[in-house]
Amino acid sequence: PHRRTEHLEDIAQAARHMAGLIDEVLLLGRIEAGRLAFQPRSIDLSTFCRRLAEETAQATASRCIIRVSCPDRLPPALSDENILRHVIGNLLSNGVKYSTAGSAVTLSLARVGSDVVITVTDRGIGIPLEDQPRLFELFYRGRNVGELPGTGLGLVIVKRCVVVHGGDVQLHSHSGCGTTVIVRLPVFASPEVPPSQT
């Protein structure tokens, strides 16, 4: 019975992996065909990000500590929740996957004018400098990933979804020193008004 249970868990994990891969390929197909609709609606970014961090922690058996840092007051954001989920979800999953168990992955939000700046930072294996120019190419993975599972689609999906959302993405990393990905999206109706000086 014990071995049977182990085999069933392996099968279930393989099925989840395959389903995830199919979903990613289908999503990319929709993006490439121009069929990924951008449907913004009002959402609470802080609540959304905290919920997504909890979901990622559960899905990865709390392998890493996910810390969320948000301003006390953020106005409602106009964003496509589905697209945002693909962006932040992939970045958090990558941060956990390529980090040492028990280390921290940080998700932070900041408002800059009409934009939200989303930063995901890990202290994992990092990405060799020579690999970084090709990270947003289909199926390309850093040469230092070893036996860690992956498809080479996560960052491609992030990039494509950010473009659909009208934003941009930057990546900073050094091998052995972790990775920081910065996403900037126009989500607020009007620029932030600086406090009046008295």
Side-chain angles (χ1 to χ4, degrees):
H2 177 68
R3 291 191 64 191
R4 188 183 301 120
T5 300
E6 287 183 347
H7 290 320
L8 288 173
E9 287 176 356
D10 289 344
I11 291 169
Q13 183 176 357
R16 285 192 296 270
H17 176 72
M18 185 61 68
L21 176 59
I22 291 170
D23 286 344
E24 288 180 338
V25 171
L26 290 174
L27 174 64
L28 280 172
R30 287 167 55 207
I31 295 172
E32 296 299 325
R35 293 175 54 202
L36 181 65
F38 178 58
Q39 300 175 323
R41 65 180 184 85
S42 180
I43 64 171
D44 182 327
L45 277 178
S46 298
T47 301
F48 176 81
C49 287
R50 288 192 173 93
R51 187 171 65 241
L52 197 51
E54 289 174 4
E55 291 174 9
T56 303
Q58 290 174 0
T60 57
S62 298
R63 185 172 184 276
C64 290
I65 303 161
I66 301 178
R67 297 193 175 113
V68 181
S69 173
C70 301
D72 290 335
R73 293 185 211 169
L74 274 179
L78 199 61
S79 179
D80 186 311
E81 189 169 321
N82 184 45
I83 290 176
L84 203 58
R85 178 174 291 275
H86 287 300
V87 172
I88 300 174
N90 270 299
L91 294 179
L92 288 176
S93 294
N94 276 356
V96 171
K97 181 193 305 182
Y98 297 113
S99 294
T100 305
S103 61
V105 174
T106 303
L107 166 62
S108 64
L109 301 179
R111 183 181 179 185
V112 179
S114 299
D115 297 343
V116 64
V117 177
I118 303 164
T119 306
V120 177
T121 302
D122 67 65
R123 293 289 174 259
I125 62 173
I127 304 164
L129 289 173
E130 56 269 30
D131 289 329
Q132 293 180 28
R134 299 189 59 193
L135 285 178
F136 296 106
E137 295 179 15
L138 284 170
F139 305 112
Y140 190 85
R141 302 184 73 205
R143 64 195 67 192
N144 62 335
V145 297
E147 298 298 317
L148 290 169
T151 61
L153 294 176
L155 284 178
V156 177
I157 288 172
V158 168
K159 175 77 170 180
R160 302 285 206 280
C161 285
V162 166
V163 169
V164 168
H165 204 303
D168 63 74
V169 58
Q170 298 176 358
L171 184 144
H172 307 283
S173 185
H174 294 282
S175 187
C177 298
T179 300
T180 296
V181 182
I182 303 168
V183 172
R184 187 164 178 153
L185 301 172
V187 298
F188 299 116
S190 59
E192 187 174 15
V193 178
S196 59
Q197 296 180 352
T198 55

